[in-house]
Amino acid sequence: MNVDVLVAEIGSTTTVVNAFTDLDTDHPCFWGQGQAPTSVLDGDVRVGLQGAVDDLCKNKGISSIEYGQMLATSSAAGGLKMTVHGLVYDMTAKAAKEAALGAGGIIHYVTSGRLRRTDLKKIREIQPNLILIAGGVDYGERDTALDNAEMIRSMGLKVPVIYAGNVENQEEIKLIFEDSEQELYIVENVYPKIDALNVEPCRKVIQQAFEQHITHAPGMEHVRDMVSGPIIPTPGAVMECTKVLYDCIGDLIVLDVGGATTDLHSVAVESDKVARIMTSPEPKAKRTVEGDLGVFVNRYKVIESIGEEKLREECENELHIDLDKTLETYYAIPKNEDEIKLVERLTREAVFRATERHAGQLRYIYGPSGRSTVAEGKDLTQVKYIVGTGGALTRLPHRVEIMEEIPGENITGMRLFPTDHAKVLVDNDYIMASLGVLSKTNREAAIKLLEKSLDFEFPEKVENEIYKSSIKAMEDVEAEYEAKKKKEEEYAEHIREMEEMGYDMSAYKEEEPIGGANARGPEGSHHDPAKEGIEAGGGLQPGWNREKQEDTSKPWNNCNRECDICTHTHCPNNQSRR
């Protein structure tokens, strides 16, 4: 049997292989799946990969399989362990962290400011796969990032380094790592100016660095003997799929509840109202990893989040199960009705808490002018779709109902949660990670396979975000122009009314000349008899720039001939001012 592509998901414990056929047609097919224990820790990843391929053949009732290309995602051996080092935590350090998480990195340590000896000790203990250095807006502060680079260089590690800080430091950074054994990647600044994030270039380089690193990791040295295409971190593959899905259907979040962690990926833009009160920028594509919200490995932490006493009451009065007995028999995958009920309750808690931590919120601040409202964190109010992937949210009976309850958890109304208008979709084939890496080589096929897995027909065209932004910008410009025009008309009408009353308003109609010149240019740059007073620096001449020259041969309206007390300065009948 021949298939077009095999996508291997090399996990810490299990390796899964998904087979796809007819990728170059209008009807690509998810053909089958096989799995086997991961063999990275045994010294050779190929054993587990071949075992998964053999299991696929067994499931399909064939003796062997041939494939055109094999792609892979990996979270084996702890995934992509990273440390991140920036200048100010809420600015460059946060931006670097967002870039790393969005690429699929697992952040083990984040620092801000100059590294200390205790920080260096922590980095040695972690033994990261990748170190990310940031700091300083472009053409801003330079010394902190340079000092940190020097200290990391002095540690003598062989860990690749990515520099994504102040552009002025790039040449210095190259010199620092010039003779070291550390591979250096230079990318655009993740925080080039105040309130501006630029994380996508860094994310791409992180994935490239991961691919180079993973092929030299213990047990993975021979992975290229079977895998011929891209290898990216499994969480990064889910984010890639989420971004492809955003291009098809618009703002969305993707929830992945696993045994050890719960990941939440969002690709969404904030509403106009929230954007006006945001205290700091948020990336359009954001990922959070909740390491304490796993429904098996970290099940007791989830129970702690619910409250053990509260959960026992629910188990007795609502779920009708014995909590202690069920926890004793439950192992990894729920196998009976009682275990399914318990895992659904744990999943509900994991979903709600992960969304709560990922989403932003409104907050009141108080100042001299009274109370005002600000927004902090990611705005999910524009989300149109809530997508579930991972074992729990693709296999549990009440997975849809769990996700539909998310908006209702915003009890106070102060959290920037998705609203009741968000539609729930499920990755029924559990292939979003595979489709994320597949989209790198077969984007259109990945989109069609997504439609099938989600059981949802995508609209023919989603309005281009750049086009929408341009239209919005032009609407803002037009509104600003109309407001300015209206203000000018009101001002002109006021001047006209004052002139009808006999006041000389010429000084309010044009700017006063300064030093013989004004906004029209230097003295003598124009020759216009009507303006020669301006060009000579003598001020405005009476009546200039009026739509119609006043007839000075007639007295002012309602003239009472009392010239001695009259305030009309240009009345031709005012004998006392001649």
Side-chain angles (χ1 to χ4, degrees):
M1 176 65 190
N2 289 312
V3 299
D4 294 336
V5 173
L6 290 181
V7 181
E9 296 181 21
I10 307 170
S12 298
T13 57
T14 304
T15 294
V16 176
V17 168
N18 294 314
F20 300 95
T21 62
D22 303 322
L23 294 181
D24 294 328
T25 71
D26 291 333
H27 302 284
C29 175
F30 170 43
W31 186 71
Q33 186 180 85
Q35 64 181 31
T38 295
S39 58
V40 171
L41 298 180
D42 296 332
D44 193 342
V45 69
R46 294 175 298 182
V47 176
L49 279 173
Q50 189 59 53
V53 173
D54 293 341
D55 185 58
L56 171 64
C57 294
K58 179 182 177 182
N59 294 338
K60 301 299 289 187
I62 58 177
S63 59
S64 64
I65 189 171
E66 295 182 2
Y67 53 89
Q69 188 179 33
M70 181 182 283
L71 317 177
T73 72
S74 176
S75 58
L80 179 60
K81 294 190 294 183
M82 293 186 64
T83 63
V84 174
H85 313 285
L87 175 59
V88 178
Y89 184 82
D90 288 337
M91 298 169 69
T92 48
K94 177 184 175 183
K97 180 180 177 182
E98 294 290 355
L101 284 171
I106 300 173
I107 309 300
H108 283 254
Y109 196 45
V110 179
T111 67
S112 57
R114 285 181 169 82
L115 290 170
R116 301 176 178 85
R117 286 188 291 272
T118 52
D119 296 325
L120 301 182
K121 180 183 177 183
K122 186 74 173 178
I123 293 171
R124 287 189 184 278
E125 292 172 353
I126 292 170
Q127 295 184 337
N129 306 130
L130 197 61
I131 295 174
L132 175 56
I133 302 174
V137 298
D138 284 345
Y139 309 104
E141 202 273 353
R142 300 183 60 181
D143 293 341
T144 300
L146 292 175
D147 289 346
N148 288 345
E150 291 278 10
M151 296 186 74
I152 290 171
R153 165 73 170 79
S154 68
M155 295 174 70
L157 303 175
K158 297 182 180 180
V159 179
V161 172
I162 294 177
Y163 175 71
N166 186 343
V167 67
E168 280 192 297
N169 283 344
Q170 291 183 356
E171 294 303 317
E172 291 281 344
I173 294 290
K174 290 178 183 177
L175 289 175
I176 290 171
F177 290 97
E178 189 174 32
D179 298 323
S180 74
E181 297 185 63
Q182 293 179 268
E183 189 166 0
L184 176 66
Y185 300 85
I186 300 288
V187 299
E188 297 175 26
N189 195 346
V190 291
Y191 201 85
K193 57 184 180 180
I194 299 298
D195 292 339
L197 296 180
N198 180 38
V199 298
E200 287 302 326
C202 188
R203 284 177 176 173
K204 292 178 182 178
V205 172
I206 290 172
Q207 290 187 354
Q208 293 172 11
F210 171 78
E211 186 168 345
Q212 293 184 20
H213 154 76
I214 200 68
T215 56
H216 298 96
M220 298 283 288
E221 299 95 334
H222 305 292
V223 68
R224 281 299 179 194
D225 292 348
M226 296 183 69
V227 178
S228 55
I231 306 173
I232 62 177
T234 301
V238 177
M239 175 57 87
E240 289 299 321
C241 189
T242 303
K243 291 192 284 190
V244 170
L245 194 51
Y246 168 83
D247 291 338
C248 298
I249 61 177
D251 297 2
L252 76 156
I253 63 172
V254 174
L255 281 153
D256 184 350
V257 178
T261 68
T262 293
D263 293 5
L264 198 159
H265 307 74
S266 67
V267 184
V269 295
E270 62 270 9
S271 67
D272 291 339
K273 291 182 179 178
V274 171
R276 285 193 288 268
I277 58 174
M278 290 283 284
T279 58
S280 61
E282 285 287 324
K284 181 178 178 181
K286 181 183 178 77
R287 169 178 170 249
T288 48
V289 181
E290 307 306 336
D292 61 333
L293 296 178
V295 294
F296 175 62
V297 175
N298 288 312
R299 58 192 181 278
Y300 290 106
K301 289 186 179 294
V302 178
I303 291 173
E304 183 180 333
S305 175
I306 298 171
E308 183 177 346
E309 184 176 340
K310 178 182 177 182
L311 181 59
R312 288 188 180 281
E313 290 179 2
E314 290 183 13
C315 289
E316 181 179 351
N317 301 324
E318 299 176 24
L319 303 179
H320 307 294
I321 63 174
D322 185 322
L323 177 60
D324 295 323
K325 182 179 179 181
T326 306
L327 284 171
E328 185 178 341
T329 60
Y330 167 48
Y331 184 80
I333 298 173
K335 302 175 183 64
N336 55 52
E337 186 176 350
D338 286 358
E339 290 180 5
I340 288 173
K341 288 181 179 179
L342 174 62
V343 173
E344 283 188 336
R345 180 63 185 92
L346 298 180
T347 300
R348 180 179 286 106
E349 181 68 14
V351 165
F352 294 162
R353 298 292 78 79
T355 306
E356 182 181 274
R357 296 175 190 177
H358 185 98
Q361 62 180 343
L362 300 176
R363 187 167 65 88
Y364 295 134
I365 59 174
Y366 297 86
S369 59
R371 190 181 79 177
S372 59
T373 305
V374 298
E376 298 174 334
K378 184 71 176 176
D379 179 19
L380 302 181
T381 60
Q382 302 299 294
V383 163
K384 302 181 183 71
Y385 299 95
I386 299 172
V387 182
T389 189
L393 292 178
T394 61
R395 298 294 178 262
L396 291 173
H398 297 96
R399 55 192 179 275
V400 173
E401 289 88 338
I402 290 172
M403 288 184 281
E404 286 178 339
E405 293 175 13
I406 290 175
E409 284 296 298
N410 187 13
I411 299 172
T412 63
M414 296 294 284
R415 297 193 179 277
L416 302 176
F417 269 30
T419 66
D420 292 328
H421 298 292
K423 180 180 176 64
V424 171
L425 303 174
V426 175
D427 175 24
N428 294 292
D429 294 330
Y430 191 2
I431 55 173
M432 284 192 70
S434 290
L435 295 183
V437 67
L438 183 65
S439 69
K440 297 284 190 180
T441 57
N442 299 82
R443 181 181 173 87
E444 292 303 317
I447 291 173
K448 291 182 173 66
L449 290 163
L450 263 175
E451 280 189 293
K452 293 180 181 179
S453 182
L454 297 173
D455 192 22
F456 179 70
E457 185 176 352
F458 298 163
E460 290 186 6
K461 182 180 179 182
V462 173
E463 193 173 24
N464 184 276
E465 188 61 38
I466 296 177
Y467 172 75
K468 289 196 294 184
S469 298
S470 299
I471 292 297
K472 175 67 171 60
M474 291 308 297
E475 289 175 351
D476 290 344
V477 170
E478 184 68 22
E480 185 177 340
Y481 170 76
E482 291 296 332
K484 183 177 180 181
K485 183 179 177 182
K486 183 179 179 182
K487 187 174 181 179
E488 289 177 348
E489 289 174 350
E490 291 175 350
Y491 187 67
E493 176 65 18
H494 174 67
I495 290 177
R496 188 187 64 78
E497 291 175 353
M498 297 301 293
E499 285 181 332
E500 287 183 353
M501 295 172 62
Y503 293 100
D504 178 14
M505 302 297 293
S506 49
Y508 296 93
K509 293 163 68 174
E510 292 293 338
E511 68 276 18
E512 292 185 3
I514 301 176
N518 58 22
R520 294 174 186 77
E523 179 181 1
S525 62
H526 297 76
H527 178 68
D528 186 344
K531 305 177 186 177
E532 58 184 11
I534 298 175
E535 305 299 340
L540 292 166
Q541 303 302 301
W544 181 76
N545 201 29
R546 295 180 183 170
E547 291 184 4
K548 183 177 179 181
Q549 190 68 28
E550 293 177 1
D551 185 358
T552 58
S553 62
K554 297 180 181 180
W556 293 95
N557 293 335
N558 304 318
C559 179
N560 55 13
R561 307 293 181 179
E562 297 179 358
C563 298
D564 292 337
I565 60 173
C566 181
T567 60
H568 296 161
T569 58
H570 296 290
C571 178
N573 297 326
N574 194 333
Q575 302 296 324
S576 65
R577 287 171 170 75
R578 290 187 178 181

